[in-house]
């Protein structure tokens, strides 16, 4: 038989003696095959239990209260996993896969965990009946390939040319957002999310979601969250005489140090007298002033004969003497801008990011109709708005407290990813469990027959595991899961592609209800779930040295 | 104003930092207390270098450290991750903040109980009957987290917890464990955002104090962070302190490789690298230290950190005042130690706490002989006429009950150098302000240490350990040394990297590969280490004269 996998959980200090010593370590604890498998399956089920109630628009939100009284509210599997202290090695493997799912496709963390959990549950049944895990795993592999093929025939293509179908984008975004936020807020954010992705989208280029800045203010209410066409920066000018509001602004985006720095050569020099020191300082200062003057020259050039304003947003520092000079000329200056904002500013306002004052030309300047500062306690925000033809924008999240903001932020991130995925996939998948039921029926009715021998049972286990999604959706909505599954499968057998309505448990057409999922999320899920489940099933022995697995503490 | 931003990464770094900020908090308190010693009231230190003023949304003004602390999730103990000032009102969950109308499943962790000391801080006067004696006693018994004995306030931007690690802290003991931490899950971005908050408001930042417990997975995190910082804040000098707790120093193959790799990587992003952490602290003079409790060992390191960085905060005055002398900024120190003759960025930190009284010459208790290295793997009795030193002496005493003046301290140091070979260059900074011993300071002083940190001729009590109730302040002397005495430290790293990681068939070659280092990178590291070694080697001078 093929070499089975061992899972080693070994204390990582590899002593200078050889590897084999570790395996023979008398303190190492060895669990045999059956015990190892059951430990693994239980861990997978345990993690599934924790996350199950999150799934879907009827799931429960989790409020985590930390030991020091900190509150975290989340409905996002990804956030929840990261908040958990997971110790069990199997659970860690599953959690890592689920988090990777989120990194790659932007959603589907909870689904991944419950799918893997369900695959393990179905396998347990077969193994208890005497089946060898290897055979099951072979069945999984066949079923996985068949399901991926089926997904490609099942998906709904959408055309995303120069004028993408905004309605379908909204439906996908809404489907995601409604699983994270209450309907009213979800629907409000749907438009924001879709518009912001369309704003940053450029023909023939991959969508870079970082060009949507997500800024938050602890202020007012969640419904005050809005899309700013332009940029919001989390800092303001550092000079009392600079204007707090300006119209018709030339924007200089630059990465030029406007602060006095002792140059390396002179710093170690110990001045023999005060005059000498003074002279050195003056010389250093002069070169900074030169740079500031060049900027002022440009300002005078473009603002001559009009009442336009001039705004500098610099990635490097600007020290008080430089600020003084600039303020005297009526220039607004911000220092230490985020590196990513250099890129965003140029995309929002036009012009280019300047790295040296020698490159200054009027063409390098961007434009904003309005720049103003908003102060909240000690926090300052600078709004750069009324820009022409922006390719970068800001989603400004407002909420009365940190945990509300954090939750909206998570939801917005997922929403953005779902829109990006749709634009890039150029297709969507019918939601509300419709795909899972259809795929299950396909596997049972078509694929299983073509498989020889006991691997059939693996295909069947896989097929049944797919049903965990509609089952959990129904369960979380307080419906009878048996009834729901029976009515769904019989509709599908009649040739009607339906999902479950979480209002009354009746079959609905997801197309009409506007419930769509991302193709890439589903694809990733079907790909990674069985891989991890197979690895876990083929664990033969669990060996752990160094620490006792059943710690008394 | 020349601001300093402090960064603390890892468990021990935060323990040291917690003591360090307690000293500062104590100094601030003493400076504004009309009943305290005039030396503290007119301390002539500019605390704005380390602190920032702000106000909460409720309009309460705040004065908090310019600090970023990074540590494991859960390491904040009973302190909220929003700090201690800015979270009023956030815990009340009003209906307007509801984002979900469905069911709520609440999972409540066992509340972390505040220890006696924290209770007195939070409840102010309410429980006046708690006695200081009980507090000191309970701290010795119960400290688990650095927040347990911290009396300073922190901002929300200061605290960063790593979540989603899913590993025991004992598995987090090598470079591989933290390899992708910084880049994963936008942690790096969040960390950089927090740092930017502090740097943006600095008018003219003079440097960054970077404390890192680089014995495990925090090393790659710090490395990646420093690399990003080097891009964002190119000309801001970083002083790096690599801190090791005594218990973390078992030397397996992995540890040796880790040390070599960690040092190579971190030292390439800083201007001055100071390794701190002896294999055992039991030999420290006048102190009673075990090696087990980080609460105790970190106090010694924190005192040295406080003393060695004090010149950065002295008010620049045109002539030396009577309070202190020789203020320095970070860049001057760096140039002094690393750029005079030899290019060596690894400095040894020596400390004497308490520093002996100037008059006590009879037992060879001169300042110099009392300095003990806190840097591990340092050669003793090395004659290095090329060495460069920067010394800082705080609150030295002339005799048992009298403070020495600045010029007396200068003369004493001068005199003690007459008995030893002089370094090539020595800078001396002096402040008359001794180290105040705050209430939550551990009882680590031996029974020969008096109330003002003077060395007594006979034991003051039968108790072996004296703490903040008996000792109110101590004079401290620290010295930074750029000397060939650090060669064993460098050579062991070079040799280990070669023998265990690079050589054909080396035991650890697979390990370093899983840590993400290719062959060429390792060879480059080795060459850099070799360069550092040859720069300091006494033979190097001969070789070059041969070639002439």
């Amino acid at each position: 038989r093929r070499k089975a996998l061992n899972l080693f959980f070994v204390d990582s200090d590899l002593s200078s003696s050889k590897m084999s010593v570790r395996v023979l370590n008398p303190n190492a604890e060895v669990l045999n095959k059956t015990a190892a498998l059951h430990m693994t399956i239980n861990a997978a089920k345990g993690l599934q239990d924790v996350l199950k109630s999150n799934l879907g628009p009827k799931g429960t939100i989790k409020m985590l209260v930390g030991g020091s009284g900190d509150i975290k509210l989340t409905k996002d599997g990804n956030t929840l996993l990261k908040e958990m202290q997971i110790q069990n090695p199997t659970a860690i493997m599953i959690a890592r896969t689920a988090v990777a799912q989120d990194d790659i496709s932007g959603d589907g963390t909870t689904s991944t965990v419950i799918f893997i959990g369900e695959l393990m549950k179905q396998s347990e049944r077969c193994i208890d009946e005497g089946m060898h895990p290897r055979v099951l795993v072979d069945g999984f592999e066949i079923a996985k390939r068949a399901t991926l093929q089926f997904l490609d025939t099942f998906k709904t293509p959408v055309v995303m040319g120069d004028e993408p179908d905004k309605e379908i984008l909204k439906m996908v975004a809404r489907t995601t957002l409604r699983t994270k936020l209450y309907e009213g807020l979800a629907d409000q954010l749907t438009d924001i999310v879709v518009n912001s992705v369309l704003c940053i989208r450029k023909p023939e280029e991959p969508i870079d979601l970082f060009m949507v800045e997500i800024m938050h203010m602890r202020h007012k209410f969640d419904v005050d969250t809005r899309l700013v066409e332009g940029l919001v920066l989390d800092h303001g000018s550092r000079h009392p005489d600079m204007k707090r509001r300006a119209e018709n602004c030339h924007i200089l985006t630059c990465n030029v140090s406007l602060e006095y720095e002792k140059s390396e050569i002179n710093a170690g020099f110990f001045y023999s007298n005060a005059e000498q020191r003074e002279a050195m300082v003056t010389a250093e200062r002069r070169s900074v002033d030169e740079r500031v003057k060049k900027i002022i020259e440009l300002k005078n050039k473009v603002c001559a004969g009009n009442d336009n304003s001039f705004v500098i947003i610099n990635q490097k520092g600007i020290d008080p003497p430089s600020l003084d000079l600039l303020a005297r000329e009526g220039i607004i200056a911000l220092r230490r801008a985020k590196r990513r904002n250099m890129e965003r500013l140029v995309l929002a306002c036009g012009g280019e990011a300047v790295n040296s004052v020698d490159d200054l030309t009027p063409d390098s300047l961007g434009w904003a109709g309005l720049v103003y500062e908003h102060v909240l306690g000690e926090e300052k925000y600078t709004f750069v708005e009324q820009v022409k033809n922006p390719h970068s924008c800001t989603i400004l999240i407002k909420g009365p407290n940190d945990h509300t903001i954090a939750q909206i932020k998570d939801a917005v991130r997922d929403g953005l990813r779902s829109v990006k995925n749709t634009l890039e996939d150029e297709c969507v998948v019918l939601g509300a469990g419709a795909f899972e039921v259809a795929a299950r029926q396909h596997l049972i009715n078509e694929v299983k027959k073509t498989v020889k021998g006991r691997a059939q049972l693996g295909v069947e286990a896989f097929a049944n595991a797919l049903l965990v999604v509609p089952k959990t959706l129904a369960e979380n909505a307080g419906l009878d899961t048996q009834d729901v599954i029976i009515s769904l499968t019989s509709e599908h057998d009649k040739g009607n592609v339906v999902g479950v309505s979480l209002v009354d448990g009746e079959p609905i057409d997801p197309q009409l209800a506007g419930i769509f999922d991302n193709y890439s999320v589903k694809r990733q899920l079907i790909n990674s779930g069985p891989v991890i489940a197979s690895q876990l099933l083929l664990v033969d022995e669990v060996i752990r040295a160094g620490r006792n697995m059943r710690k008394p503490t | 104003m020349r601001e300093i931003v402090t960064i603390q990464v890892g468990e021990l770094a935060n323990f040291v930092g917690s003591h360090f900020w307690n000293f500062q908090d104590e100094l601030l308190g003493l400076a504004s207390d009309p009943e305290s010693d005039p030396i503290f009231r007119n301390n002539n230190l500019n605390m704005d270098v380390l602190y920032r003023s702000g106000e909460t949304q409720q309009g309460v003004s705040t004065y908090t450290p310019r600090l970023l602390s990074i540590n494991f999730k859960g390491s904040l103990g009973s302190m909220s991750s929003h700090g201690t000032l800015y979270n009023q009102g956030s815990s009340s969950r009003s209906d307007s903040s509801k984002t979900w109308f469905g069911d709520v499943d609440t999972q409540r962790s066992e509340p972390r109980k505040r220890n006696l000391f924290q209770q007195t801080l939070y409840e102010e006067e309410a429980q006046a009957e708690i006695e200081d004696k009980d507090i000191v006693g309970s701290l010795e018994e119960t400290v688990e987290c650095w927040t347990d004995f911290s009396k300073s306030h922190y901002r929300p931007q200061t605290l960063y917890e790593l979540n989603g690690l899913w590993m025991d802290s004992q598995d987090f003991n090598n470079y591989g464990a933290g390899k992708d931490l910084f880049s994963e899950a936008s942690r790096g971005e969040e960390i950089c955002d927090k740092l930017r908050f502090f740097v943006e408001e600095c008018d003219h930042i003079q440097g960054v104090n970077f404390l890192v417990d680089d014995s495990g997975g925090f090393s790659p995190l710090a490395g990646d962070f420093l690399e990003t910082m080097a891009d964002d804040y190119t000309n801001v000098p970083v002083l790096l302190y690599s801190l090791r707790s005594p218990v973390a120093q078992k030397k397996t193959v992995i540890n040796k490789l880790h040390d070599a790799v960690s040092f190579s990587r971190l030292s390439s992003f800083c201007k001055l690298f100071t390794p701190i952490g002896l294999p055992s602290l039991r030999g420290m003079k006048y102190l009673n230290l075990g090696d087990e409790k980080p609460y105790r060992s970190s106090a010694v390191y924190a005192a040295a950190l406080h003393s060695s960085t004090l010149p950065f905060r002295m008010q620049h005055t045109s002539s030396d005042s009577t309070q202190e002398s020789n203020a320095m900024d970070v860049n001057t120190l760096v140039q002094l130690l690393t750029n005079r003759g030899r290019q060596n960025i690894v400095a040894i930190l020596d400390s004497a706490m308490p520093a002996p009284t100037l008059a006590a010459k009879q037992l060879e208790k001169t300042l110099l002989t009392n300095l003990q290295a806190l840097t591990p793997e340092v050669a003793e009795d090395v004659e290095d006429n090329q060495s460069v030193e920067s010394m800082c002496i705080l609150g030295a005493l002339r005799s048992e009950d009298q403070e020495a003046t600045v010029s007396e301290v200068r003369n004493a140091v001068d005199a003690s150098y007459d008995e030893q070979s002089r370094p090539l260059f020595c800078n001396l900074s002096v402040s008359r302000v001794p180290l105040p011993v705050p209430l939550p300071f551990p009882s680590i002083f031996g029974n020969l240490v008096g109330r003002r940190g003077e060395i007594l001729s006979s034991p003051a009590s039968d108790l072996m350990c004296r703490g903040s109730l008996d000792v109110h302040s101590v004079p401290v002397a620290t010295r930074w040394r750029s000397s060939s005495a650090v060669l064993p430290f460098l050579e062991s790293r070079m040799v280990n990297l070669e023998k265990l990681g690079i050589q054909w068939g080396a035991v650890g070659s697979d390990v370093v590969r899983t840590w993400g280092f290719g062959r060429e990178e390792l060879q480059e590291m080795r060459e850099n280490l070799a360069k550092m070694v040859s720069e300091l080697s006494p033979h190097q001078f001969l070789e070059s004269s041969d070639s002439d």
Side-chain angles (χ1 to χ4, degrees), chain B residues 214 242 244 248-251 255-260 263 273-280 301 346-350 373-382 481 483-497 529 536:
Chain B
D214 71 329
S242 146
R244 301 294 180 91
Q249 302 199 347
K250 45 178 186 178
K251 293 286 179 207
N255 292 148
K256 287 177 184 167
L257 270 175
H258 171 91
D259 285 354
F263 171 75
F273 188 101
T274 314
I276 298 177
L278 298 174
S280 172
Y301 300 151
V346 188
I348 300 168
L349 191 67
D350 302 315
L374 299 179
T375 302
E377 298 178 65
V378 168
E380 280 172 44
D381 301 322
V382 174
R481 255 192 302 161
S483 154
S484 60
V486 82
L487 272 173
F489 178 91
L490 293 173
E491 280 164 350
S492 74
R493 276 150 186 77
M494 182 177 73
V495 170
N496 286 338
L497 187 66
L529 282 168
L536 288 174

Side-chain angles (χ1 to χ4, degrees), chain A residues 76-79 97-112 176-177 179-180 209 409-421 424-425 518 520-522 524-525:
Chain A
D76 187 45
N78 194 32
T79 311
T97 317
V99 170
Q101 160 89 25
D102 192 274
D103 285 350
I104 295 164
S105 62
D107 207 350
T109 321
T110 309
S111 309
T112 306
T176 302
L177 288 165
T179 66
K180 306 275 152 67
L209 285 183
K409 214 182 225 177
D410 282 347
V412 163
R413 289 224 174 89
D414 287 354
L416 289 171
R417 285 297 294 264
S418 74
V419 177
K420 171 184 148 93
N421 285 344
E424 289 177 350
D425 294 345
N518 274 143
S520 45
V521 175
K522 289 272 185 241
Q524 172 69 18
L525 177 77

Side-chain angles (χ1 to χ4, degrees), chain A residues 144-445:
Chain A
K144 182 182 101 179
R145 259 187 262 138
T147 310
L148 287 172
Q149 273 169 14
F150 178 73
L151 178 63
D152 279 327
T153 59
F154 185 83
K155 70 186 183 190
T156 313
V158 286
V159 183
M160 292 292 162
D162 293 339
E163 289 292 320
D165 182 350
K166 221 169 157 177
E167 283 315 305
I168 201 97
L169 293 176
K170 278 190 192 171
M171 282 189 270
V172 178
R174 192 183 300 127
T175 305
T176 302
L177 288 165
R178 278 191 182 180
T179 66
K180 306 275 152 67
L181 301 167
Y182 70 87
E183 271 190 35
L185 184 56
D187 293 353
Q188 186 197 342
L189 286 176
T190 299
D191 287 321
I192 293 177
V193 160
V194 171
N195 288 336
S196 55
V197 179
L198 291 178
C199 167
I200 61 161
R201 180 173 179 252
K202 286 177 167 177
E204 313 295 321
E205 275 179 46
I207 297 168
D208 180 5
L209 285 183
F210 281 122
M211 292 308 110
V212 180
E213 166 76 311
I214 302 175
M215 182 58 66
H216 63 88
M217 280 167 131
R218 205 164 101 178
H219 181 50
K220 294 191 181 173
F221 304 110
D222 48 14
V223 290
D224 295 307
T225 297
R226 69 182 178 101
L227 176 67
V228 177
E229 296 209 324
L231 210 60
V232 182
L233 301 109
D234 59 358
H235 50 129
S237 67
R238 288 277 173 194
H239 195 283
D241 297 344
M242 284 181 184
K243 280 182 285 185
R244 299 289 171 251
R245 186 187 164 91
E247 284 171 22
N248 301 325
C249 306
H250 298 281
I251 309 281
L252 172 61
T253 309
C254 60
N255 186 15
V256 176
S257 171
L258 297 179
E259 63 182 350
Y260 157 70
E261 289 156 355
K262 272 186 187 172
S263 62
E264 297 276 324
I265 315 130
N266 292 323
F269 182 80
F270 282 76
Y271 311 104
S272 51
N273 57 48
E275 289 78 46
Q276 203 179 353
R277 184 192 163 94
E278 208 51 42
M280 295 300 287
V281 172
T282 319
E284 297 280 345
R285 183 73 242 170
R286 204 177 300 133
S287 74
V288 180
D289 291 348
E290 288 301 318
R291 272 173 266 166
V292 176
K293 280 198 190 109
K294 284 208 170 130
I295 292 172
I296 293 173
E297 273 167 30
L298 180 68
K299 182 255 169 185
N300 289 336
K301 200 153 139 197
V302 293
C303 297
N306 57 41
D307 54 0
N308 291 351
S309 307
F310 197 90
V311 179
I312 303 172
I313 298 170
N314 191 4
Q315 195 186 334
K316 290 265 163 55
I318 310 178
D319 62 10
S322 300
L323 286 171
D324 268 337
L325 290 175
L326 295 167
R328 234 176 279 156
E329 298 292 327
I331 296 173
I332 298 175
L334 277 75
R335 67 189 178 200
R336 303 274 182 207
K338 268 189 238 178
R339 189 198 309 215
R340 209 164 247 145
N341 276 348
M342 298 288 102
E343 220 178 319
R344 289 179 184 138
L345 273 166
V346 169
L347 286 170
C349 309
E352 59 191 36
V354 174
N355 288 314
S356 154
V357 283
D358 301 329
D359 304 338
L360 286 176
T361 61
D363 291 340
S364 56
L365 298 175
W367 178 264
L370 179 64
V371 174
Y372 63 97
E373 197 176 284
H374 186 104
V375 183
L376 271 183
E378 61 177 2
E379 275 147 37
K380 280 184 181 179
Y381 298 87
T382 303
F383 288 71
V384 181
E385 284 195 79
Q386 297 176 16
V387 296
K388 294 174 195 160
N389 191 21
H391 288 291
S392 176
C393 57
T394 305
I395 297 178
L396 180 63
I397 296 172
K398 294 193 180 182
N401 51 44
D402 291 339
H403 56 254
T404 307
I405 290 169
Q407 215 214 325
I408 299 176
K409 214 182 225 177
D410 282 347
V412 163
R413 289 224 174 89
D414 287 354
L416 289 171
R417 285 297 294 264
S418 74
V419 177
K420 171 184 148 93
N421 285 344
T422 311
L423 286 165
E424 289 177 350
D425 294 345
E426 299 198 309
C427 61
V428 289
V429 179
L430 292 175
F435 165 71
E436 285 77 9
V437 176
R440 188 257 179 186
Q441 296 309 88
H442 172 73
L443 288 175
I444 297 287
N445 299 339

Side-chain angles (χ1 to χ4, degrees), chain A residues 122 126 131-132 134-143 440 443-464:
Chain A
Q122 297 287 340
C126 299
M131 199 169 165
H132 194 278
R134 172 50 68 189
V135 185
L136 261 179
V137 166
D138 290 343
F140 282 2
E141 181 58 31
I142 297 166
R440 188 257 179 186
L443 288 175
I444 297 287
N445 299 339
E446 314 289 332
V447 180
K448 200 176 138 190
K449 288 180 226 160
T450 67
V451 179
K452 283 194 201 107
R454 306 189 66 179
Q456 278 195 359
L457 294 175
V459 175
E460 195 177 318
F462 187 99
N464 289 332

